[in-house]
Amino acid sequence: MSYEISTENAPAAIGPYVQGVDLGSMVMTSGQIPVDPKTGNVPEDIAAQTRQSLANVKAILEKAGLGVANIVKTTVFVKDLNDFGTVNATYEEFFKQHNAPFPARSCVEVARLPKDVKIEIEAIAVRK
Ligand SMILES: CC(=[NH2+])C(=O)[O-]
C-alpha cells in the first residue's frame, strides 16, 4: 500500500503523477523541476535551478516526516552535461548544509525536460 504525499511547499504535478509516494519504510519523490512553488517562477541559472529542485525534493520528504539525511539515492537529469561541475558543487553544498551524507546517485544528460528547465532531480529516501 502506498500513500500519496502532497504539499504546497513543492510544485504541483504538471501531469498524471503525484509529488511523492510513501511506502512506509521508503519514500520516493517524483522528479522535481526547479519551479518555485510560491511564485511558479523558474530561476535562470543552473546553480539556482539545482538549489530549487533540491528544495522541492526536501519539501516533499519533510511532508512525509523525513529529511535530507534520509535520502539514499537520487537521479539527476540535466539538459547539458557542461553544467556538471556547477551541478556537483551546488549539490555537494546542499547535502553538507543539511549535515547529510551523500546518497548514491545517477546523473544523465537528456534531450529535453518539462518546461524546458535545465535540471530535474528525483530521490528515494528510507525511514530509519
Ligand atoms: C516533472 C515531472 N516529474 C514529470 O513527470 O513531468
Side-chain angles (χ1 to χ4, degrees):
M1 191 72 177
S2 67
Y3 295 93
E4 176 183 344
I5 304 166
S6 177
T7 175
E8 288 181 356
N9 296 325
I14 54 169
Y17 61 92
V18 295
Q19 292 172 316
V21 290
D22 189 341
L23 305 173
S25 59
M26 184 181 289
V27 166
M28 296 179 193
T29 77
S30 289
Q32 292 305 300
I33 57 174
V35 173
D36 181 322
K38 304 233 174 339
T39 63
N41 293 338
V42 174
E44 187 56 38
D45 68 84
I46 184 63
Q49 288 204 12
T50 303
R51 277 192 290 275
Q52 185 65 59
S53 288
L54 288 166
N56 294 342
V57 166
K58 177 172 169 274
I60 295 166
L61 296 180
E62 282 177 346
K63 182 64 194 258
L66 302 185
V68 177
N70 294 93
I71 300 174
V72 292
K73 172 74 173 42
T74 64
T75 307
V76 178
F77 306 92
V78 291
K79 177 77 177 64
D80 184 352
L81 259 182
N82 290 315
D83 289 334
F84 192 62
T86 306
V87 169
N88 275 338
T90 311
Y91 183 98
E92 177 175 349
E93 181 185 70
F94 177 84
F95 280 90
K96 285 186 170 166
Q97 237 169 31
H98 293 92
N99 293 316
F102 298 136
R105 190 185 87 174
S106 305
C107 181
V108 294
E109 183 182 86
V110 295
R112 211 171 159 202
L113 286 162
K115 291 189 178 278
D116 284 321
V117 297
K118 300 178 197 294
I119 191 164
E120 176 173 329
I121 302 175
E122 65 183 23
I124 299 172
V126 292
R127 188 168 273 117
K128 296 170 192 165

